[in-house]
Each structure stands twice: as structure tokens, then as C-alpha cells.
Amino acid sequence: MRVVVVGAGPAGMAAARTAADAGAEVVMVDSEPEAGGQYLRGRARFEHPGVTHLKNTEVWMVEGDSLHLRGPGGARLLRFDALVIATGAYDRPLPFPGWDGPGVITAGAAQALAKQGVTLAGRVIVTGTGPFLLPVATALQDLGSTLVGVYEASSPTRWLREAKAITANRHKIGELASYRKVLPRLETRTAVIAKHGDRVTVAKLDSQWRPISHRTEHADLVCVGYGFLPRTDLLPNASRTHDFLDVDDHQRTSVANVYAAGEVTGIGGADLAEAEGVVAGAAAAGRRPPAKALEAVRRGRLFAAALARAHEVQPGWQTWLHPDTTVCRCEKVRLEDLTDATSMRELKLTSRVALGRCQGRICARNAAELTGVPFDGQRRVIAVPIPLGELAELPEDKS
Amino acid sequence: MHPDVVVMGAGIIGAACAQALKARGLGVVVLDRHGPASGTSAAGEGNVLVSDKGPGPELDLARASRALWPELAQDAEWEEKGGLVVATTPSAVVPLHAFAAAQREAGIDACEISVEDALTHEPHLNREITAAVHYLQDAQLNPVKATRSLLRGIEVRLAEVSTTDGRSVTTSDGVISCGAVVNATGPWARDFGVNVLPRRGVVLVTTPIPGTIRHKVYDADYVGAVSSGDADLQTSGVVESTQAGTVLIGSSRQRKGFDETIESRVLTALAQRAIAMFPMLRNVPVMRAYGGFRPYAPDHLPIIGEDPRTPGLWHATGHEGAGVGLAPATGRLLAQLLTGEDPLVDPRPFRVDRPEVMV
């Protein structure tokens, strides 16, 4: 029985350990040189009996019962009996005038650099929505940056409606304390809506995120994060909701023998990801998932659902753009270039939005909302670019 | 108000029919489940080719279309890039030259050129090629933009059609009465009574390398793959750039119903064929792959005309991988037959009551 886990963040590591402890032969594949994923980047020391960790290895396609890998040893096919997708999520930026210029990066990129000890800039702003902004701001401040502000677009009062989720996840309140150094810089119902050089336009927003007043701040770097988009490329045909993979209570996806755990199923933090990993790992190895993990998933999902509601992106962001504001950076598509279309495919092929190097990972969702075209999730057959020469010499023998 | 004609399918063929009918003063409504160019039309390369067709009715239709396209495709990235067909083995030289000679007889600009000249046209072409023919008339357009251009000023409704009797269509939104119905549903045309099957094709798209490949370049064995009826996977090398600088790599043909899965063996075969023609492509990354279903009639000829079993029901389908190239003449022919004008090409080869077509 071989269980293959894709992704070595909290969910993937938990799934790999649990499946190995249940007696499965486990291979954990990850594109990074060390385990940990985005959350524990470089800080996880993963070693577990029964788990082979394939580092620096990308999975570019799932085909039947096999994965197509690209790694230090070249291309290979890896067969599985059960597969756990724990590929996580990446930040969603929202466009505004100047977001495509220098000095604007995603909050996730800022945090990743900070975890490597890179000092990014003198004066920084973190803007977006969701609790993730606080650790990013803290990390930047700890490295010596001057934190001009942490701007949360949503209103904190939205959380008052979520008493049930908060009660079930009290420990999350405790986490706030670790960010106390940046809390004085936190402004809610606020966002960066333009950046020209180091002049940053900061607006107060109404409940729909339309600007009601604005001021100018000076900053060298603006870090943007409006929630997360799941990395679901390996399962283009799986059932999804708002692009997140649908799973049942054993973390099974709609694809036979394929499980999913962590942020790829919904955003709920590392502890929920880890609990989902335990459930997926056990189920993938043919065991009954432990009751404790199932309960942690249940509680965590209450929090995840509350988080999604409280920090839902509001449509007023669309008023931040001018006609010449870039929507798609790869193909240099501006707001005024977006055509009137009925489907995502029609929109792409008439405006070239989402057809560039990032394959719409950054812009497709935003372009869909700007045009009112249904966002159908993106079906990418090839999850990472692969040279033609490698495609021409794909191995046929499965290992 | 009842429309004179309801066109089922807002792909390139449905759009061309609607445009030609409207130009003759008829009131037209186009229905589609997913909107303009949401199926086969958006899943190809936008080819307007004469090079891949031997003398016969399909070439006549292609030539007539080629004459109509430049005016219709002004807003659709129309590019008269020309085609370059190359032989890659010594044994392929004589058949390629014979094919080109027959096309010249039929009025096609098919110029035999030397290997050196071919390398001047396409500097990155494999120096091992054995022969080349330059087709000046081959062109390319953006099929989604072209569909939208054709549909300008025509009402398109999002609706799925369940049945039609030629005088009305029953949709998810109710019944629409009309004077005539055009079945332009491409690979799904079988639902309305003609023997059209889906044939799967896959295209690879590379990262942009502008200016590297200038023509549509393909291996002479492509013509054989197009006209084959085999269900098994067939591939041949077809390589061209788009205006965005990406390179499109085809072509594959496979009959496996409406199965949307893209198989790695197809990607491998396409990559091998492309590298054999342009060795420099070896190091160019593929960004994405897409697939579509081509409407395929068993005798490889489009179906254009009225259904003798259901008066009022007209078909315009079965164009396989050549729908973009054949669309304007198909639309015009259908509109001419429907309104009683003299047809621009002989309509008999495309008639509906062919034994292979009636089901």
C-alpha cells in the first residue's frame, strides 16, 4: 500500500506521519528544499520512519494512479494507491493603480522573505484582509522595518456575529497576543488604493469597501494579501466550491483514491490543516481517522467558515481601479481592455487576461469579478511549466 | 416577435450562418448553452488553410471562405502568414510534390521551394528536412474574436435546446417558434439527427518567444492524419506562433467520445513531433495544454443543407478541424440555399441525405 502526499506543510507532514504510522509506505513530495511549507518555511525538521521525502521535486500532472514528477533525478512517474493533495494556497492580491510597479509584493512573499531573514525596506505597509496580516507585519517589524500601518479592509465588528466559532476556537484569541507589538498600527476599514513612487494613497472604506476618505502616506514597500486562493491544479476535474476542493468527513475528494488536506480545502490556519492531514493520512492508509482529529477538524471548520464570512472580499475594491490600471501583469491587460464576455474562456481569448506566465493564478479571479463572468476555477492540465524536451522524453515505467 | 431563423450553437459556424442570414434581411436569434465560441471554436488554432486539402468539394469551400475572411476578420487578428509544409523523410518528397501539383491545378498558390529557401523563411527549422512547399494563402485569426465579430448586432441567448421540429425549438427557457432552425452545434450535432462524432484534439502552448516562428509550419504527413478515420491516436507536427508570441503545437486526433482527460502520451507525441521540426523548441517551456472536440462526419465532408426528414431543420456541421477556415462560405451557402439564391459552390457534396450522415 503506497500513499503519496503532495506538499510538506503542516497538512502534508501530518498526513505522511499518520499514514506511515498506519503501516503504509509513504512518499511525501515537495518542491522546496526543506519541509514546512509556507507556514513553517525552513523551520521544520521532518524525519519520520516509513516516509520518504522527495525534496525539490515538482508534481506537474496526476494521471490515473500515477504522478508525473520533475526533480533532481529528472522526470519520473510515481505510482500510488492513495494520494493526499496538501498543496496549500497562495495570496490573492487585489489590483489598484500602481500595484504592478516596484515596491508592491504579496504578503505571503514578504513573509517568506522575512523568514529567510531578508530585510525588505525601511518603511512598509501591510494591506489586505484577514488575520494573516498580523504575523506578516510582526515579522517585518522584527527585522527592523518601520511599520507605517497594517490596514484591514473589513470591519472587526463582523466577528461579533461569530460567537460560536470563537467559543470553539478560544486558542485563536490567544494567538492575537503574540502580535501585540503591531496592534497599535492596525487600522480597520482601511486599505491602500493607489501607489505612485513612495506616495501611497490610504483610504477609509465603507462596508462594501468603497473609499469614503483618503490620505497620503509614504512607504517603500506595500505588502498585499486579500485572503488566499487554493493550489488545486493537480485535480483539474475534481469538484470544488469557490475553487477550494470539496472533501467529505474523511477528506476524500470527488476523485477516487484522492484525498485533500489543509488550505487547499479552505483557509483555517495551521492547526486545522494539521488535523485534516491526520484524518486524510489515516483514511488514505485505510484506517479509521482518530476521533480527536475529527473533532479538531469539526471545530476548525467552524472557525474557517467564520473567517471566510468575516473577511470576504467586498465588491467596492473594483472602484479603486482606473481604466488604465493593470489587471493582468503577465499580459499587461488593463481594466479597459477587459471585454464584455459570457465565459471565462471567451474573456481570456479576447483580452488575453490570464493567458500569461502565471496562467491566471494572480488575475483570473479578479478579472472574473470585474467583468461579472462566472469564475469557474481554472483547469490547468500542466501544473508547472515544463520544457518541451522533457515532455518529449517522458518515462513510461512507473516506480 | 418570432425570429425567422433560430441558429443553435454560437460557435464559428453558427455565427457565420447567423451573419449571412442577417445580411439577407432575416431576423435571427442564436442560442448557445455557454455563450459565443465556448466549445470547439475556442479550442483550436484559428486556422484558415487551403494547404491541407486536396482538390475536391472541401477545397472549393475553403477557397470560397478564404476569399470572404479578410473583410469579416478585420477585428480578429487576421494574419496572412502563409503556410510551410515540409517533408521530413526522403520518401515523403514525391507525395508532397504530387499533392502540391494537384492543388496548383485547382488554383492554389503552392510553391515548391528549396530547403535553403525554407530555412530562410524559417531559420530555426530542422536542416534535415527533405522538401518544402510554401502556401501563400494560408492564414490565421483569433477564432473567439472572429466569432464575436460575426455575431455583431445579432441576439445571442444563453439557453440549451432539447428538441426541434424545424419550426420551433424547445429550450431550457421555453419554446421559440420560428421559420427555420439551423443546427450548428458542432460535435454535439448528433443530438439533432446527423451522424457527427467528436474527435479529440490537443494543443500545447509554450511561453512567448516572439518572432521565432513565422509561418504555420507542418509536417506533410498531417494531411494523411486529417483524412484518416482511425480511432487510435494520430499525431503530426503542426507548429505556429500567435500574435502574443506563444507557440501553438498540434496536432493530435483521437476518437474517444467526449472524454476530456488529456493524456501524457499525447503531450509526449506532440512534443516529439514539434522538436523534430524545430530542434530549438527543446528548451522552450510549455505553459498549458488545451483540448477540444472536432465535429467529424464519417466521410470527412461538412454537412450543409436542409434535412429531408424534417423540413425547416437545416444542418451546418461536420467541419472537423477546419471549421474556422470553412465558416464564411458555409454560412453563405446555407443562407443562399435557405433563401433560394444561387449557391457560391456546388452544394451537392455537402447534402444531408448522404448514407453516412443520416442516422
Side-chain angles (χ1 to χ4, degrees):
Chain A
M1 169 86 186
R2 180 190 282 167
V3 174
V4 175
V5 179
V6 184
M13 290 190 294
R17 282 192 203 103
T18 310
D21 291 347
E25 175 205 348
V26 178
V27 182
M28 181 173 75
V29 188
D30 192 76
S31 58
E32 295 294 316
E34 292 299 334
Q38 296 291 336
Y39 181 70
L40 294 165
R41 181 179 286 265
R43 290 181 293 155
R45 291 283 167 268
F46 186 88
E47 216 163 291
H48 197 82
V51 181
T52 305
H53 178 192
L54 296 182
K55 303 173 180 180
N56 299 307
T57 303
E58 291 177 309
V59 183
W60 63 270
M61 189 185 202
V62 177
E63 187 170 32
D65 66 353
S66 299
L67 297 179
H68 288 273
L69 308 183
R70 305 181 63 203
R76 68 183 268 212
L77 264 179
L78 180 65
R79 199 197 51 75
F80 61 81
D81 296 298
L83 175 65
V84 180
I85 300 288
T87 42
Y90 54 93
D91 307 73
R92 175 180 178 186
L94 291 180
F96 51 79
W99 79 292
D100 53 328
V104 182
I105 61 175
T106 65
Q111 195 193 36
L113 291 167
K115 281 179 179 171
Q116 292 164 32
V118 179
T119 307
L120 292 166
R123 297 174 60 81
V124 301
I125 287 173
V126 179
T127 188
T129 191
F132 177 64
L133 303 178
L134 298 174
V136 173
T138 304
L140 293 170
Q141 198 174 50
D142 287 349
L143 279 169
S145 294
T146 302
L147 189 62
V148 176
V150 184
Y151 305 136
E152 161 63 58
S154 286
S155 164
T157 58
R158 294 175 74 97
W159 275 100
L160 296 178
R161 303 173 208 151
E162 306 290 354
K164 196 173 157 201
I166 291 172
T167 316
N169 293 275
R170 284 194 193 87
H171 62 287
K172 293 279 186 190
I173 308 296
E175 282 176 19
L176 275 179
S178 56
Y179 308 129
R180 60 186 172 276
K181 280 185 297 184
V182 301
L183 289 177
R185 292 263 160 257
L186 176 66
E187 276 184 70
T188 57
R189 283 199 171 185
T190 305
V192 168
I193 61 162
K195 180 174 187 288
H196 299 288
D198 73 339
R199 291 165 56 86
V200 177
T201 307
V202 177
K204 282 287 174 193
L205 307 176
D206 69 9
S207 63
Q208 293 299 299
W209 295 12
R210 284 178 299 239
I212 44 184
S213 66
H214 58 79
R215 63 177 196 265
T216 300
E217 297 281 0
H218 291 269
D220 310 303
L221 182 70
V222 175
C223 308
V224 186
Y226 286 90
F228 297 87
L229 300 167
R231 216 180 284 279
T232 56
D233 300 331
L234 292 176
L235 299 181
N237 299 316
S239 160
R240 311 183 215 176
T241 303
H242 302 309
D243 218 24
F244 291 95
L245 293 175
D246 293 332
V247 288
D248 68 5
D249 55 358
H250 284 187
Q251 303 296 131
R252 272 183 291 245
T253 69
S254 66
V255 182
N257 303 319
V258 180
Y259 300 75
E263 311 281 54
V264 76
T265 71
I267 304 302
D271 44 357
L272 173 60
E274 191 172 335
E276 288 189 9
V278 170
V279 172
R287 294 294 175 88
R288 182 186 294 275
K292 203 177 146 203
L294 288 169
E295 173 56 18
V297 170
R298 193 193 63 78
R299 270 188 285 118
R301 290 221 177 118
L302 281 176
F303 178 77
L307 184 72
R309 284 190 293 266
H311 295 281
E312 187 183 11
V313 170
Q314 300 299 320
W317 70 267
Q318 297 172 26
T319 65
W320 308 347
L321 282 73
H322 299 159
D324 63 351
T325 302
T326 300
V327 175
C328 164
R329 291 189 295 197
C330 304
E331 291 285 325
K332 307 268 184 294
V333 180
R334 301 163 301 179
L335 177 63
E336 62 194 348
D337 301 327
L338 293 180
T339 42
D340 157 38
T342 41
S343 68
M344 201 65 209
R345 187 150 183 82
E346 188 186 358
L347 178 65
K348 287 182 186 178
L349 290 170
T350 48
S351 70
R352 294 209 61 77
V353 73
L355 285 177
R357 277 176 192 273
C358 91
Q359 288 292 289
R361 286 173 176 85
I362 291 169
C363 61
R365 175 75 175 269
N366 294 337
E369 290 185 12
L370 285 165
T371 53
V373 165
F375 180 66
D376 51 7
Q378 303 297 297
R379 291 164 35 123
R380 302 182 188 94
V381 179
I382 297 176
V384 292
I386 172 166
L388 268 167
E390 266 185 51
L391 270 187
E393 287 157 18
L394 284 185
E396 286 171 20
D397 294 335
K398 297 176 184 179
S399 59
Chain B
M1 276 294 288
H2 299 310
D4 296 314
V5 184
V6 168
V7 177
M8 306 188 292
I12 195 89
I13 297 292
C17 291
Q19 191 270 343
L21 290 163
K22 179 171 180 273
R24 281 158 182 76
L26 296 174
V28 184
V29 169
V30 181
L31 307 179
D32 198 283
R33 307 184 263 199
H34 303 302
S38 54
T40 306
S41 304
E45 295 131 313
N47 283 322
V48 179
L49 301 187
V50 295
S51 56
D52 62 340
K53 295 165 187 73
E58 201 187 357
L59 184 61
D60 297 341
L61 197 63
R63 288 182 64 198
S65 265
R66 174 65 180 79
L68 295 170
W69 257 133
E71 192 185 336
L72 294 171
Q74 278 172 1
D75 307 331
E77 300 170 23
W78 174 256
E79 193 182 355
E80 303 194 351
K81 56 162 61 170
L84 199 61
V85 180
V86 298
T88 49
T89 59
S91 61
V93 176
V94 171
L96 174 61
H97 284 162
F99 189 72
Q103 286 175 312
R104 279 195 298 275
E105 289 287 309
I108 300 299
D109 292 327
C111 312
E112 288 173 26
I113 59 172
S114 67
V115 170
E116 290 70 40
D117 282 351
L119 287 165
T120 315
H121 284 301
E122 288 292 347
H124 298 282
L125 198 57
N126 192 337
R127 312 191 78 81
E128 307 291 309
I129 61 161
T130 50
V133 178
H134 187 200
Y135 290 87
L136 300 168
Q137 291 150 307
D138 281 357
Q140 190 182 25
L141 50 72
N142 175 323
V144 180
K145 287 189 178 173
T147 303
R148 288 165 57 105
S149 294
L150 291 168
L151 288 172
R152 202 167 288 145
I154 293 171
E155 184 187 350
V156 181
R157 292 186 203 161
L158 281 182
E160 181 146 15
V161 176
S162 51
T163 57
T164 177
D165 59 5
R167 302 295 177 210
S168 70
V169 293
T170 306
T171 77
S172 42
D173 256 358
V175 177
I176 306 172
S177 298
C178 53
V181 177
V182 178
N183 171 22
T185 57
W188 296 275
R190 197 181 172 84
D191 295 348
F192 304 101
V194 280
N195 189 21
V196 170
L197 298 166
R199 208 174 176 199
R200 182 82 167 139
V202 173
V203 176
L204 303 180
V205 187
T206 70
T207 51
I209 45 170
T212 311
I213 292 166
R214 302 164 186 175
H215 302 73
K216 178 186 181 74
V217 186
Y218 65 89
D219 192 319
D221 67 3
Y222 173 65
V223 177
V226 170
S227 55
S228 162
D230 269 4
D232 286 350
L233 172 66
Q234 299 180 337
T235 57
S236 53
V238 179
V239 179
E240 65 197 299
S241 300
T242 65
Q243 289 195 355
T246 55
V247 176
L248 306 182
I249 295 168
S251 86
S252 69
R253 285 176 149 71
Q254 197 178 6
R255 269 170 50 198
K256 48 180 216 165
F258 285 106
D259 178 358
E260 290 197 322
T261 321
I262 289 184
E263 300 167 61
S264 62
R265 68 182 180 117
V266 177
L267 307 182
T268 296
L270 291 174
Q272 287 169 348
R273 294 294 207 139
I275 291 169
M277 292 167 62
F278 289 96
M280 56 77 64
L281 287 176
R282 177 174 292 279
N283 299 316
V284 176
V286 173
M287 265 192 315
R288 64 177 172 273
Y290 60 89
F293 298 103
R294 295 161 179 164
Y296 149 78
D299 56 3
H300 296 285
L301 274 180
I303 303 161
I304 306 164
E306 189 172 21
D307 194 319
R309 302 160 296 183
T310 313
L313 175 61
W314 295 70
H315 300 284
T317 181
H319 297 75
E320 202 165 341
V324 172
L326 301 174
T330 296
R332 184 168 292 198
L333 175 61
L334 181 122
Q336 288 169 332
L337 295 172
L338 197 141
T339 56
E341 282 176 42
D342 287 341
L344 81 169
V345 294
D346 179 2
R348 284 171 301 178
F350 309 113
R351 69 189 187 279
V352 179
D353 63 345
R354 287 135 54 190
E356 300 89 341
V357 167
M358 303 269 274
V359 286

